[in-house]
Amino acid sequence: MQITRETDYAIRCMLYIAASESGSAVVGDISEAQSVPRTFAAKIMQKLQRAGLVKSKRGVKGGYFLTREPSEISLLDIIEAIEGPLSLNICVVDKNSCDRVSQCSVHPIWVELRDIFAESLKRYTLKDLINLNTP
Amino acid sequence: MQITRETDYAIRCMLYIAASESGSAVVGDISEAQSVPRTFAAKIMQKLQRAGLVKSKRGVKGGYFLTREPSEISLLDIIEAIEGPLSLNICVVDKNSCDRVSQCSVHPIWVELRDIFAESLKRYTLKDLINLNTP
DNA sequence: TTTTTTAGGATTATTTTTCTCCTATTTTCT
DNA sequence: AGAAAATAGGAGAAAAATAATCCTAAAAAA
Ligand code: SF4
Ligand code: SF4
């Protein structure tokens, strides 16, 4: 019931880019500053790009930059970019995974809790997290 | 970011005992009724017992029974019995796991979210879940 | 054209999850 | 007492998920 290391790394990476002066950063710098293994960081950035949270520019003076304002990128966005749709139990996201769904009294609870949890995660944006560091 | 299959099984097992006429059930019946592999169910019941949620009686006419009223056993109780203390990121439950804790702006968020989530899970008890089935 | 930097597929290593097996012990019933 | 029913618990195997690594290609700027 925890986010994965990969997701934690992704949040760190996004935070680094958001907090950077220029608004963009190369994988090498992100990796070093946030203690994320270099090649793993590269993979993570690719996922974030496919999810549309960042874009890249190749070559000298290239790097990754955010596609939206830090205030418009929430923890939920980052988590779902890495882990896929948020759910607290397999049956919430894939009804075929369990043949008890139709008669299960717990299933609706997981659906409801997912929404509550998602709302909480939406409330925290990159901007909030940067401000906590440099008030 | 999901509960494990084991935890889902544990909830089913508890629910079966709580809903049973006699208030107790043997592993074989629980396993069959809830489609939980027999030996795995036995292991799960042991964990639940160590957590103090059930007690067992050996021998003929034995089985497992709840130590508290169904209205006094919450989803959080069951989840923590199986998975250990609830946390959404490793650093919440083990501060030594990450040497960035002291300077990390995300860490306090995970602590806060854990509490919100735990509260939500506390609100659902076995009694609520049984009533949903047989209103 | 050279250097910098991302893109992406293939692959490996590690850890966690999901079980199974076997033997011991306790309790009840006959 | 003895047989049967049931949990207790350790050891460990199989499968899946996580956490990386490696290598080659492609793009863009200088
Ligand atoms: S038993 Fe209920 S809660 Fe568990 S996976 Fe199936 S539908 Fe979901
Ligand atoms: S980086 Fe922050 S949130 Fe992530 S594990 Fe470390 S302390 Fe926790």
Side-chain angles (χ1 to χ4, degrees):
Chain A
M1 184 55 96
Q2 287 183 358
I3 60 164
T4 65
R5 192 56 61 115
E6 186 182 18
T7 305
D8 188 80
Y9 287 163
I11 295 169
R12 295 193 212 176
C13 293
M14 291 295 279
L15 220 38
Y16 181 79
I17 300 174
S20 75
E21 280 294 313
S22 63
S24 82
V26 305
V27 169
D29 287 354
I30 299 172
S31 158
E32 193 172 348
Q34 301 291 325
S35 317
V36 179
R38 207 189 211 83
T39 53
F40 199 20
K43 282 282 175 266
I44 289 168
M45 293 314 300
Q46 281 175 35
K47 272 198 192 180
L48 292 170
Q49 181 172 58
R50 278 187 219 110
L53 298 184
V54 298
K55 279 196 174 169
S56 72
K57 206 179 147 189
R58 293 197 190 184
V60 179
K61 292 236 177 184
Y64 284 97
F65 55 93
L66 304 183
T67 56
R68 295 184 242 148
E69 290 301 308
S71 62
E72 296 299 316
I73 299 178
S74 70
L75 283 182
L76 181 65
D77 292 327
I78 303 174
I79 291 173
E80 294 203 317
I82 301 295
E83 306 191 356
L86 184 73
S87 90
L88 302 178
N89 200 345
I90 180 92
C91 56
V92 174
V93 78
D94 173 13
K95 294 209 172 187
N96 291 347
S97 62
C98 177
D99 51 14
R100 310 185 133 250
V101 173
S102 60
Q103 37 167 349
C104 178
S105 60
V106 196
H107 176 76
I109 311 292
W110 293 126
V111 173
E112 185 188 329
L113 288 175
R114 191 220 85 98
D115 291 340
I116 292 174
F117 188 44
E119 279 308 315
S120 302
L121 287 172
K122 258 186 225 166
R123 282 207 304 274
Y124 292 101
T125 70
L126 289 181
K127 182 166 176 236
D128 303 327
L129 297 173
I130 295 168
N131 287 346
L132 285 180
N133 266 344
T134 55
Chain B
M1 186 54 93
Q2 287 184 359
I3 60 164
T4 65
R5 192 56 63 115
E6 187 182 18
T7 305
D8 189 79
Y9 287 163
I11 294 169
R12 296 193 211 176
C13 293
M14 292 295 279
L15 220 38
Y16 181 78
I17 299 174
S20 74
E21 280 293 314
S22 64
S24 80
V26 307
V27 169
D29 288 354
I30 299 172
S31 157
E32 193 172 349
Q34 299 292 326
S35 316
V36 179
R38 206 189 210 85
T39 54
F40 199 20
K43 284 285 176 258
I44 289 168
M45 293 315 300
Q46 281 176 35
K47 273 199 191 180
L48 292 170
Q49 180 172 58
R50 278 186 220 111
L53 298 184
V54 297
K55 279 196 175 168
S56 71
K57 205 178 146 189
R58 292 198 191 183
V60 179
K61 292 232 176 184
Y64 285 96
F65 54 94
L66 304 183
T67 56
R68 294 184 243 150
E69 291 301 308
S71 63
E72 297 298 317
I73 299 179
S74 70
L75 283 182
L76 181 64
D77 292 327
I78 302 175
I79 292 173
E80 294 203 318
I82 302 295
E83 306 190 356
L86 185 73
S87 89
L88 303 177
N89 200 347
I90 181 91
C91 56
V92 174
V93 79
D94 173 13
K95 294 209 171 182
N96 291 347
S97 62
C98 177
D99 51 14
R100 311 187 132 249
V101 172
S102 60
Q103 37 166 348
C104 179
S105 59
V106 196
H107 176 75
I109 310 292
W110 293 125
V111 174
E112 185 187 330
L113 288 176
R114 191 219 86 98
D115 291 341
I116 291 174
F117 189 44
E119 278 308 315
S120 301
L121 287 172
K122 259 186 222 163
R123 282 206 302 274
Y124 292 101
T125 70
L126 289 181
K127 182 166 175 237
D128 303 328
L129 297 172
I130 295 168
N131 287 345
L132 286 178
N133 266 344
T134 55

Coordinates of all heavy atoms in Angstrom, one line a residue, chain B residues 6-41:
Chain B
E6 N -3.2 -10.8 -0.6 CA -3.2 -11.3 0.8 C -4.2 -10.5 1.7 O -5.0 -11.1 2.4 CB -1.8 -11.4 1.4 CG -1.8 -12.1 2.7 CD -0.4 -12.1 3.4 OE1 0.5 -11.3 3.0 OE2 -0.1 -12.9 4.3
T7 N -4.1 -9.2 1.6 CA -4.9 -8.4 2.4 C -6.4 -8.5 2.0 O -7.3 -8.5 2.8 CB -4.5 -6.9 2.3 OG1 -3.1 -6.8 2.6 CG2 -5.2 -6.0 3.2
D8 N -6.6 -8.5 0.7 CA -8.0 -8.7 0.2 C -8.5 -10.0 0.7 O -9.7 -10.1 1.2 CB -8.0 -8.7 -1.3 CG -9.4 -8.7 -1.9 OD1 -9.9 -7.6 -1.9 OD2 -9.9 -9.7 -2.3
Y9 N -7.7 -11.1 0.7 CA -8.1 -12.4 1.2 C -8.5 -12.2 2.7 O -9.5 -12.8 3.2 CB -7.0 -13.4 1.1 CG -6.8 -13.9 -0.3 CD1 -5.6 -14.6 -0.7 CD2 -7.7 -13.8 -1.4 CE1 -5.3 -15.0 -1.9 CE2 -7.5 -14.2 -2.6 CZ -6.3 -14.9 -2.9 OH -6.0 -15.4 -4.2
A10 N -7.6 -11.5 3.4 CA -7.8 -11.4 4.9 C -9.2 -10.8 5.2 O -9.9 -11.2 6.1 CB -6.7 -10.6 5.5
I11 N -9.5 -9.8 4.4 CA -10.8 -9.1 4.6 C -12.0 -10.1 4.3 O -12.9 -10.2 5.1 CB -10.9 -7.9 3.7 CG1 -9.9 -6.8 4.1 CG2 -12.3 -7.3 3.7 CD1 -9.7 -5.7 3.1
R12 N -11.8 -10.8 3.2 CA -12.9 -11.8 2.9 C -13.0 -12.8 4.1 O -14.1 -13.2 4.5 CB -12.5 -12.6 1.7 CG -12.4 -11.8 0.4 CD -12.3 -12.8 -0.8 NE -11.6 -12.3 -1.9 CZ -11.3 -13.0 -3.0 NH1 -11.7 -14.2 -3.1 NH2 -10.6 -12.4 -4.0
C13 N -11.9 -13.3 4.6 CA -11.9 -14.3 5.7 C -12.6 -13.7 6.9 O -13.5 -14.4 7.5 CB -10.5 -14.7 6.0 SG -9.6 -15.7 4.8
M14 N -12.3 -12.5 7.3 CA -12.9 -11.9 8.4 C -14.4 -11.7 8.2 O -15.2 -12.0 9.1 CB -12.2 -10.5 8.7 CG -10.8 -10.6 9.2 SD -10.6 -11.4 10.8 CE -11.0 -10.1 11.9
L15 N -14.7 -11.3 7.0 CA -16.1 -11.1 6.7 C -16.9 -12.4 6.8 O -18.0 -12.4 7.3 CB -16.2 -10.6 5.3 CG -17.2 -9.4 4.9 CD1 -17.3 -8.4 6.0 CD2 -16.7 -8.8 3.6
Y16 N -16.3 -13.5 6.4 CA -17.0 -14.8 6.4 C -17.2 -15.2 7.9 O -18.3 -15.7 8.2 CB -16.1 -15.8 5.7 CG -16.8 -17.2 5.7 CD1 -17.8 -17.5 4.8 CD2 -16.4 -18.2 6.6 CE1 -18.4 -18.7 4.8 CE2 -17.0 -19.4 6.6 CZ -18.0 -19.7 5.7 OH -18.6 -20.9 5.7
I17 N -16.2 -15.0 8.7 CA -16.4 -15.4 10.1 C -17.5 -14.5 10.8 O -18.4 -15.0 11.5 CB -15.1 -15.2 10.9 CG1 -14.0 -16.2 10.3 CG2 -15.3 -15.6 12.4 CD1 -12.7 -16.0 10.9
A18 N -17.4 -13.2 10.5 CA -18.3 -12.3 11.1 C -19.8 -12.6 10.7 O -20.7 -12.4 11.4 CB -17.9 -10.8 10.7
A19 N -19.9 -13.1 9.4 CA -21.3 -13.3 8.9 C -21.8 -14.7 9.2 O -23.0 -15.0 9.0 CB -21.3 -13.1 7.4
S20 N -20.9 -15.5 9.8 CA -21.4 -16.9 10.0 C -22.3 -17.0 11.2 O -22.2 -16.2 12.2 CB -20.2 -17.8 10.3 OG -19.7 -17.5 11.6
E21 N -23.2 -17.9 11.1 CA -24.3 -18.1 12.2 C -23.6 -18.3 13.5 O -23.9 -17.5 14.5 CB -25.1 -19.4 11.9 CG -26.2 -19.2 10.8 CD -27.3 -18.3 11.3 OE1 -27.7 -18.5 12.5 OE2 -27.7 -17.4 10.6
S22 N -22.7 -19.2 13.6 CA -22.1 -19.6 14.9 C -21.1 -18.6 15.4 O -20.7 -18.7 16.6 CB -21.5 -21.0 14.8 OG -20.4 -20.9 13.9
G23 N -20.6 -17.8 14.5 CA -19.6 -16.8 15.0 C -18.2 -17.4 14.9 O -17.2 -16.7 15.2
S24 N -18.1 -18.6 14.4 CA -16.7 -19.2 14.2 C -16.7 -20.0 13.0 O -17.8 -20.5 12.5 CB -16.3 -20.0 15.4 OG -16.9 -21.3 15.4
A25 N -15.5 -20.3 12.4 CA -15.4 -21.1 11.2 C -14.0 -21.7 11.1 O -13.0 -21.2 11.6 CB -15.6 -20.1 10.0
V26 N -14.0 -22.9 10.5 CA -12.7 -23.6 10.3 C -12.1 -23.1 9.0 O -12.8 -22.7 8.1 CB -12.9 -25.1 10.3 CG1 -13.6 -25.5 11.6 CG2 -13.5 -25.6 9.1
V27 N -10.8 -23.2 8.9 CA -10.0 -22.8 7.7 C -10.6 -23.4 6.4 O -10.7 -22.6 5.5 CB -8.5 -23.1 7.9 CG1 -7.8 -22.9 6.6 CG2 -7.9 -22.3 9.0
G28 N -10.9 -24.6 6.5 CA -11.4 -25.3 5.3 C -12.6 -24.6 4.7 O -12.7 -24.4 3.5
D29 N -13.6 -24.3 5.6 CA -14.8 -23.6 5.1 C -14.5 -22.2 4.6 O -15.0 -21.8 3.6 CB -15.8 -23.5 6.3 CG -16.4 -24.9 6.6 OD1 -16.1 -25.9 5.9 OD2 -17.1 -25.0 7.6
I30 N -13.7 -21.5 5.4 CA -13.4 -20.1 5.0 C -12.8 -20.1 3.6 O -13.2 -19.4 2.7 CB -12.4 -19.5 6.0 CG1 -13.0 -19.4 7.4 CG2 -12.0 -18.1 5.5 CD1 -12.0 -19.0 8.5
S31 N -11.8 -21.0 3.4 CA -11.0 -21.1 2.2 C -12.0 -21.4 1.0 O -11.9 -20.7 0.0 CB -10.0 -22.3 2.3 OG -9.7 -22.8 1.0
E32 N -12.9 -22.4 1.2 CA -13.7 -22.8 0.1 C -14.8 -21.6 -0.2 O -14.9 -21.3 -1.4 CB -14.5 -24.0 0.5 CG -15.2 -24.7 -0.7 CD -15.7 -26.1 -0.3 OE1 -15.4 -26.6 0.8 OE2 -16.5 -26.7 -1.0
A33 N -15.4 -21.1 0.8 CA -16.4 -20.1 0.6 C -15.9 -18.8 0.0 O -16.5 -18.2 -0.8 CB -17.1 -19.8 1.9
Q34 N -14.7 -18.5 0.4 CA -14.1 -17.2 -0.1 C -13.1 -17.4 -1.2 O -12.4 -16.4 -1.6 CB -13.5 -16.5 1.1 CG -14.5 -16.2 2.2 CD -15.5 -15.1 1.8 OE1 -15.3 -14.2 1.0 NE2 -16.7 -15.3 2.3
S35 N -12.9 -18.6 -1.7 CA -12.0 -18.8 -2.8 C -10.6 -18.3 -2.5 O -9.9 -17.6 -3.3 CB -12.4 -18.1 -4.1 OG -13.8 -18.3 -4.3
V36 N -10.1 -18.7 -1.3 CA -8.8 -18.4 -0.9 C -8.0 -19.7 -0.8 O -8.5 -20.6 -0.1 CB -8.7 -17.7 0.5 CG1 -7.3 -17.4 0.9 CG2 -9.6 -16.4 0.4
P37 N -6.9 -19.9 -1.4 CA -6.1 -21.1 -1.4 C -6.0 -21.6 0.1 O -5.6 -20.8 1.0 CB -4.8 -20.8 -2.0 CG -5.1 -19.7 -2.9 CD -6.2 -18.9 -2.3
R38 N -6.3 -22.9 0.3 CA -6.4 -23.4 1.7 C -5.2 -23.1 2.6 O -5.3 -22.5 3.7 CB -6.6 -24.9 1.7 CG -7.3 -25.5 2.9 CD -7.3 -27.0 2.8 NE -8.5 -27.6 3.5 CZ -9.6 -27.8 2.9 NH1 -9.8 -27.4 1.6 NH2 -10.6 -28.4 3.5
T39 N -4.0 -23.5 2.1 CA -2.9 -23.3 3.0 C -2.5 -21.8 3.2 O -2.0 -21.4 4.2 CB -1.6 -24.0 2.4 OG1 -1.4 -23.6 1.1 CG2 -1.8 -25.5 2.5
F40 N -2.8 -21.0 2.2 CA -2.6 -19.6 2.3 C -3.6 -19.0 3.3 O -3.2 -18.1 4.1 CB -2.7 -18.9 0.9 CG -2.1 -17.6 0.8 CD1 -1.1 -17.1 1.7 CD2 -2.5 -16.7 -0.2 CE1 -0.5 -15.9 1.6 CE2 -1.9 -15.4 -0.4 CZ -0.9 -15.0 0.5
A41 N -4.8 -19.4 3.2 CA -5.8 -19.0 4.2 C -5.3 -19.3 5.6 O -5.5 -18.5 6.5 CB -7.1 -19.6 3.9

